[in-house]
Structures are given as C-alpha cells and as structure tokens.
Amino acid sequence: MTNKLIWALLLSLLLSGCQALSPSKTQNDDSTSLEEAEVLEIEDEASGLIDNVEPISQAETDLTADDAVESVDEIIEPEVVVAPKPKKPEDLWQRVRAGYQLDLDYDKPRLFSQLRWYSSHLSYLDRVSKRGERYLHYIVTELEKAGLPTEIALLPIVESGFDPFGYSHGRASGPWQFIPSTGKMYGLDQTWWYDGRRDIIGSTQAAIAYLTRLNKMFDGNWLHALASYNSGEGTVMRAIRKNKKANKPTDFWSLDLPAETRAYVPKLIALAKIIKDPAKYNYETYFIANKPYFEVVNIGGQLDLAQAAEMADISIDEVYLLNPGFNQWATSPEGPHRLLMPVSKAKQFRTKLAGIPAQDRVTWVRYTVKAGDNLLLVAKNHNTTVNVLQDVNKMSSTLIRVGQELMIPVAGNKIESYTLSSHQRLLAKQSRAPSSNRIKINHVVKSGESLWLIANKYDTDSKTLARWNSMGLGDPLMPGKKLVVWLTPKKQVNTSQRSVVKKVVYTLRSGDSLGKVAQKFKVSVSDIRKWNPVVGSKKYVQPGDKVTLLVNVVGG
C-alpha cells in the first residue's frame, strides 16, 4: 500500500512538471487537469505519430556517415546532358553572313543599278572571290575581333577587285586603296623596298582603325563613314552642313557628294545583298574554306624572295601575292621582318630558314669604282637606288672616288624571274596594248615636261597616259623616265575604199629622208615624227635608222 502511494505521488509530480514546461501555456495557467493530459495522449496515439513509424533495423544503424552520403548521392544525382557544340561553318561566306550589321533594305535607284550590274556579271564575282581567297579569312577574323560589320570584308572588291597591286590615278594603292598621306597617318611606310599600303596585315589593320574612327566621328552612321572612306571626311561633313542649312535630310542618299562616292556605298550594299541571298540572284558563291590560308613567319632580317620561294617549295609569284608590300627582289632591310606563307608550307620554310646564316640570305657584290662612275650610274647598273647604296655603305654624300669599294645588294636570280616585283610589273603593264591596231611609242621625259604636255603631244589625255604607265596623276615625273604611249591610227576619210592598217618597221637607206619615206608610204612627216620620237627629234636621219609606220596596206 505504501509503495502504491509513493508511485502515485511521483506520477503526480511528473505530470505537474510537464504542465509547467509546456510552451503553449503561461506560467499562471494551472487549470489543465490530468484528464485533459490523458485525452491529448490518446489523440496522439490515434494519429499514428509514434506507432506508425517503422522501427530502424540494426543494419541501418550500422551505416557509416560516408555510406549515408553515397547512398543519398545515388538517389538524387540527376542525369547530365551535354549540349553539342555548334558546328563551325565550312564555307567562309556563311561566317561573313553571320556577322552582318548594316541595314541593306533600301529602295533606291542607285542601289538597283549596282544590283543589276553585279547580277549580270556573276563571273566577275567569281574572279574577285578567287583573287581574295588568300586574304579573306584573315580580314573576316580581324573585323570580328574589332566588332565591325563583316560586310566591310567586301570593301576590297569595291576598292581594288581584291588586287593587292591595284593602283589608281589618284595614287591610291593596295587592296584597301590608301593614298600616300592617309597611309602614312596610319603607319604604312612607303619606301623603295616596301609599300605598307599593299601589305595584307598592315593595310587591313590600318583600314579597320580608319573605319572605326570614321564611324565614331559620324555617331555610328556607317553609310556616312563609308562615304568618308572614299571621298574624305571633310567632303561628307561639308555636304551634311549644306543640307542642314537648307533644311534638307542629311542621310547618305540625300547628300550632294561626288559621283564616285554616290556609287561607292551602293556598290558595297549591292554586294552584301547578293552574298546574303545568292540564290535570289541566280548565283552560287565561289567556295572559300573557313580556315586560315597563311601563317606569319618571323624571318629576323632581310631575305631574297626567290630564296624564300625555294625553301617553301612554292612559286615566287605566290610569295609576292602573299607579301605584295615588298617592291623589290628581297624584303626590306628595315622590316617588317616577316613573311606570310601558306599554312601547309610554313613549317618546312621555318626549318630550312633556321639552317641559313644571316649573311647568306641576301647576295652581295663588291664593286670597285672606276673612272667616269657616279653613284647614280652605279645604282642604275645594279638595279638599285642611290639611297640604298648610301644606306648600305654608310655614306653621308653621293661623292665617290676611283678605287673606292662599294657593297651592293643584288638579286640572287635573274631580275626577270622576280615577275611581280615593282619593276617587272611596270614592264608587263607597258607591254600590254590596250587594243588591237595600236602602235607603241617610247617617250623619254625631258626637263620641264608634264603628263599633260606629253599627253597633248600624242593626242591623248593625262589619265590615259598615266594608266598606260601605272602612274598616278600626281606622281613625280623625273627627266629620263621612260613612258609608253599607245597611238591610234587615224581614221580614213575615203569611205569608198576599205582600210586595213598594219604596223611596218622600215630601215632608212642611203638617200632616204623622212619626207621621201612619208611620200612612199602615203603618210605625213608629222605622223612619222610622232610615231618615232627618237628619230623624229634628229636634225638629220642616217642610213640604218629604223622607223615604225602605220600603213594602210589596202589603200596603197
């Protein structure tokens, strides 16, 4: 009995303690009875919060912490699906299209005119694409790096037809057609050895810098920037100010610009539209692989280009086409000391170049000055210039003395084999007749003569004369320079008789005079003098002198 009483008291105290610790009640709430506690306990049991929980097995209690983590990872780790990388386009034109930024949708007659021309001369697009194949991947890559519209990669087609040796009557040169002053402004050196305006890397970087500046100058208006690239920012700014003053629109299409510039921008837009949707114009683009064509090889110093071609096992023409900035038979002694080589040949070229000592990379001759020599004559006889001889031999003046020894850099091969050097390109240009039935005249420039005076003498114009001789209208004309003139035979006034004009070379005999020759071949003395300026300038002709005549062989 006593034990039962003790247990009852203990149970009562326990219940009181639980009641006091209950968070749902205040300390003053002492009205909860034993019966209420019992009811709550019954309700908890009925809800299954205790009895319905499955007992933990011994095996589960024996799991380590690492086992538990691993078990959880196995349950909740999701399956990771790796998205495939976007496929690199194989055709470079796809990449060009992807970088378009310009608005090409204009309803303008000037644009339609250019679209008609290009879409009716699709073979021309193939030719310029093939010509630009060597350079286009590099240009597109550099435009992307600069964040510029890839439509600009087509600009060399408008400028030069992707001809790295292109030269205009306005003295612009290279694929991007820089004039001398702008070229110098953007770091493109122009020397006897090297013209940076034709260098693929140098001129492309200069074009990107110039176009970026122009775009900022015109607040992001690309048509104004492109027009300025052609005619100069001053021209475009004046046209904008003029329209503002007259309360006219100042968009490109409304500006009063030179005729060339008014056609220039539509040409680029037309090309971009055709490349964007060639099928619309019944054109299939010339395939250009989307991979580099060349690698840049550091050569460390001057190198004969024929030697470079031999080491790389490529033609010398290919060396010049990849490195058109070099004017002569070797790279410039002042740099840049690099050559662009086809990717497939670069490793071979590097290996062979490493085995050639620096002194053997250019051929030198030792020349002893003779009586009657002067530096200009020595330079001319060795296909070089006075400045080169002075630089090489550390000469402060042009004075030389008999017995003096000069070191002269010379071509390792015959000079004619450097077919795309500046001199050989000029000779080739001067040898190509602009049309049939033309007679070629060599004119030696005299002191005081100008292009206009010479052109007027031969009944032609200055621009045509400059084109025949790969010159710009502003190029200096030095006495002694040889120019080519292509003369057209005079039209026959007697329409009743058929005219067939042939070129005849006649050797003067004893007793001949220009008057007798003119009478014999039914031409005028003034024509003979014009066709033969060397013989025609003589006071007296001699037996053995040769004259070229344009003779109507049908009319006598």
Side-chain angles (χ1 to χ4, degrees), residues 180-435:
S181 57
T182 309
K184 289 176 182 176
M185 189 186 304
Y186 284 90
L188 301 177
D189 294 333
Q190 297 148 57
T191 67
W192 185 78
W193 286 105
Y194 170 78
D195 190 338
R197 297 175 298 166
R198 293 198 304 266
D199 184 286
I200 300 305
I201 290 178
S203 66
T204 299
Q205 295 300 330
I208 288 173
Y210 188 24
L211 285 162
T212 300
R213 185 176 73 84
L214 290 173
N215 181 248
K216 289 179 180 177
M217 182 182 295
F218 290 98
D219 299 323
N221 188 316
W222 271 114
L223 299 196
H224 286 165
L226 290 164
S228 299
Y229 188 87
N230 176 253
S231 61
E233 51 266 48
T235 301
V236 177
M237 284 179 169
R238 283 191 294 272
I240 290 173
R241 285 197 298 267
K242 180 181 176 182
N243 277 25
K244 282 182 177 179
K245 192 174 181 180
N247 292 319
K248 293 180 179 179
T250 58
D251 61 284
F252 164 77
W253 307 98
S254 302
L255 297 180
D256 182 17
L257 295 168
E260 181 182 317
T261 308
R262 287 169 62 82
Y264 179 85
V265 175
K267 283 180 182 179
L268 180 66
I269 296 174
L271 283 168
K273 286 176 76 73
I274 292 172
I275 296 299
K276 183 180 181 181
D277 189 3
K280 182 178 178 180
Y281 302 94
N282 298 314
Y283 179 55
E284 183 178 346
T285 53
Y286 175 83
F287 177 81
I288 299 178
N290 184 23
K291 58 183 181 181
Y293 187 95
F294 60 77
E295 283 186 24
V296 181
V297 180
N298 181 11
I299 57 174
Q302 192 175 27
L303 178 65
D304 190 303
L305 295 178
Q307 197 174 12
E310 185 178 350
M311 287 188 286
D313 192 24
I314 58 177
S315 70
I316 194 165
D317 282 4
E318 180 70 4
V319 173
Y320 275 111
L321 287 168
L322 283 172
N323 303 275
F326 295 118
N327 293 327
Q328 307 303 327
W329 44 266
T331 63
S332 171
E334 304 299 324
H337 297 311
R338 63 166 184 249
L339 280 177
L340 309 188
M341 285 290 171
V343 170
S344 60
K345 301 292 185 178
K347 183 177 180 181
Q348 170 185 329
F349 175 68
R350 285 191 182 96
T351 302
K352 291 191 175 182
L353 180 65
I356 299 178
Q359 64 270 20
D360 295 337
R361 296 181 182 184
V362 176
T363 304
W364 296 83
V365 297
R366 190 184 299 274
Y367 178 79
T368 304
V369 176
K370 301 178 178 64
D373 276 346
N374 59 60
L375 207 56
L376 179 61
L377 182 63
V378 174
K380 187 176 180 180
N381 289 339
H382 290 87
N383 295 303
T384 186
T385 68
V386 170
N387 287 338
V388 169
L389 294 183
Q390 285 183 290
D391 289 343
V392 168
N393 293 278
K394 310 299 182 188
M395 299 169 62
S396 58
S397 73
T398 59
L399 295 176
I400 53 176
R401 64 182 185 278
V402 175
Q404 181 180 350
E405 290 190 337
L406 300 174
M407 292 300 296
I408 305 174
V410 295
N413 287 15
K414 289 183 178 180
I415 200 68
E416 295 81 10
S417 66
Y418 299 85
T419 48
L420 292 179
S421 68
S422 178
H423 181 64
Q424 294 302 316
R425 290 198 316 273
L426 175 59
L427 292 180
K429 176 73 172 177
Q430 291 179 330
S431 299
R432 288 194 295 269
S435 63

Side-chain angles (χ1 to χ4, degrees), residues 438-442 487 502-508 514 517 521 523-525 527-533 535-536 545-551:
R438 291 268 187 155
I439 184 171
K440 179 181 175 182
I441 299 296
N442 292 313
L487 296 180
K502 296 290 184 182
K503 183 168 75 171
V504 175
V505 177
Y506 177 77
T507 303
L508 272 69
L514 292 184
V517 174
F521 289 97
V523 296
S524 68
V525 173
D527 279 342
I528 295 178
R529 291 187 185 279
K530 185 193 301 181
W531 296 335
N532 302 272
V535 174
D545 285 345
K546 292 183 178 181
V547 290
T548 301
L549 311 169
L550 291 179
V551 179

Side-chain angles (χ1 to χ4, degrees), residues 35-104:
E35 288 82 1
E36 288 173 325
E38 289 173 349
V39 170
L40 289 171
E41 186 178 348
I42 292 168
E43 288 176 350
D44 286 345
E45 289 175 358
S47 68
L49 290 174
I50 298 174
D51 290 347
N52 291 345
V53 176
E54 211 172 86
I56 299 175
S57 66
Q58 183 64 36
E60 288 173 314
T61 59
D62 291 341
L63 283 172
T64 66
D66 290 340
D67 292 333
V69 171
E70 182 179 347
S71 177
V72 171
D73 288 343
E74 288 174 357
I75 295 169
I76 66 172
E77 182 177 359
E79 183 180 352
V80 178
V81 179
V82 179
K85 291 182 179 179
K87 190 176 180 182
K88 180 181 177 183
E90 294 181 357
D91 189 348
L92 186 61
W93 293 120
Q94 297 176 36
R95 187 171 158 194
V96 172
R97 294 181 196 109
Y100 274 14
Q101 297 179 30
L102 303 184
D103 181 7
L104 306 178

Side-chain angles (χ1 to χ4, degrees), residues 481-512:
K481 183 178 178 67
K482 291 181 180 179
L483 298 180
V484 164
V485 181
W486 293 96
L487 296 180
T488 307
K490 289 183 178 179
K491 294 180 180 179
Q492 301 296 318
V493 295
N494 183 5
T495 58
S496 64
Q497 191 175 30
R498 191 164 62 93
S499 173
V500 177
V501 177
K502 296 290 184 182
K503 183 168 75 171
V504 175
V505 177
Y506 177 77
T507 303
L508 272 69
R509 301 167 187 171
S510 179
D512 274 344

